């Protein structure tokens, strides 16, 4: 089905690696290296966060603080998403910061409530950083991947977010995150 739709150069661009897992530059001799070209063309700029479903937010925050020494960057309730949540800072990178997002459902019929009932606690989704979430949605949608959100919604720390359907992304609920301007 997706073969008939316009294809995004972002999604189809192959990554060249040699047998040792290193990038090679055979197709681009004497030119810029793969990392430089990827930085210009890749849709994802970083892993923004890993979302984890938890039953008791305070208990989980304490465990992450005590065990891994992480600190809470923000804590909020997102009524629309049906969660109480905390972002725990992991690291800064050139394209922005990375976090662990702990998610406790505020309603059993919410996405995280249903996930917990079915699977118990664990990894719920991956959030990737993008420069422009509307452009990313248009480009990904054109490949035939179902968009849970056709328009961006309000996410943690003022970000604009949108989800892709896990049934079209290899079973991994995938979130696009355009961080708030600093
Ligand atoms: N990861 C992988 N698969 C998932 C999933 C997840 N997190 N959540 C649901 N699924 C799968 C289920 O296992 C189920 O598969 P089967 O049909 O094979 O059994 C299927 O998707 C349908 O599951 P469901 O529980 O009936 O859920 P719904 O169809 O009602 O909703 C989805 C699924 C993805 C549309 C919904 O979870 C959603 O809208 N998610 C995006 C919003 C969200 O997750 N918000 C919370 C986080 C907020 C934040 O990060 O800020
Ligand atoms: Co998230």
């Amino acid at each position: 089905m997706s073969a008939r739709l316009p294809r995004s150069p972002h999604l189809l661009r192959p990554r060249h690696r040699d047998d040792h897992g290193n990038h090679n530059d055979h197709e681009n001799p004497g030119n810029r290296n793969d990392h430089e070209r990827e930085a210009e063309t890749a849709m994802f700029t970083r892993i923004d966060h890993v979302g984890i479903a938890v039953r008791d937010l305070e208990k989980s925050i304490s465990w992450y603080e005590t065990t891994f020494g992480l600190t809470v960057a923000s804590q909020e309730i997102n009524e629309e998403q049906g969660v109480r949540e905390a972002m725990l800072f992991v690291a800064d990178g050139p394209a922005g910061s990375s976090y662990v997002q702990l998610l406790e459902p505020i309603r059993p019929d919410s996405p995280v409530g249903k996930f917990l009932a079915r699977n118990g606690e664990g990894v719920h989704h991956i959030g990737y950083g993008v420069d422009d979430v509307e452009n990313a949605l248009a480009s990904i949608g054109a490949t035939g991947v179902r968009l849970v959100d056709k328009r961006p919604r309000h996410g943690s720390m003022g970000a604009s977010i949108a989800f892709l359907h896990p049934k079209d992304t290899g079973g991994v609920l995938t979130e696009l995150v355009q961080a708030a301007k600093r």
Side-chain angles (χ1 to χ4, degrees), residues 13-168:
R13 203 177 147 282
R15 299 285 201 272
H16 300 290
R17 287 173 189 275
D18 64 23
D19 291 339
H20 307 289
N22 299 313
H23 287 276
N24 67 46
D25 226 7
H26 295 159
E27 290 187 357
N28 198 16
N31 220 323
R32 293 164 302 147
N33 65 35
D34 264 7
H35 285 304
E36 284 169 333
R37 282 185 290 136
E38 276 169 15
E40 278 176 23
T41 57
M43 184 181 293
F44 295 159
T45 59
R46 67 190 183 286
I47 293 176
D48 182 275
H49 65 270
V50 176
I52 298 176
V54 303
R55 291 212 165 84
D56 182 330
L57 185 63
E58 276 69 37
K59 215 166 134 184
S60 293
I61 290 173
S62 291
W63 189 84
Y64 273 80
E65 286 173 337
T66 309
T67 313
F68 299 135
L70 298 187
T71 50
V72 175
S74 86
Q75 210 171 324
E76 43 195 295
I77 295 177
N78 188 328
E79 283 286 344
E80 186 182 39
Q81 298 291 344
V83 290
R84 289 175 63 222
E85 55 126 322
M87 290 295 241
L88 279 66
F89 175 77
V90 176
D92 274 329
S97 307
S98 302
Y99 303 89
V100 172
Q101 181 182 35
L102 301 177
L103 301 151
E104 180 194 296
I106 55 174
R107 301 184 288 269
D109 64 343
S110 61
V112 177
K114 283 161 84 174
F115 179 93
L116 270 176
R118 194 186 298 230
N119 306 295
E121 294 185 314
V123 174
H124 179 258
H125 67 269
I126 310 284
Y128 292 102
V130 294
D131 286 332
D132 184 316
V133 67
E134 291 193 23
N135 282 349
L137 275 178
S139 179
I140 295 167
T143 69
V145 169
R146 254 173 302 164
L147 310 177
V148 173
D149 302 305
K150 296 200 171 43
R151 288 167 180 275
R153 292 177 189 272
H154 166 72
S156 311
M157 299 189 289
S160 291
I161 62 167
F163 286 89
L164 312 178
H165 203 287
K167 291 294 171 192
D168 286 351

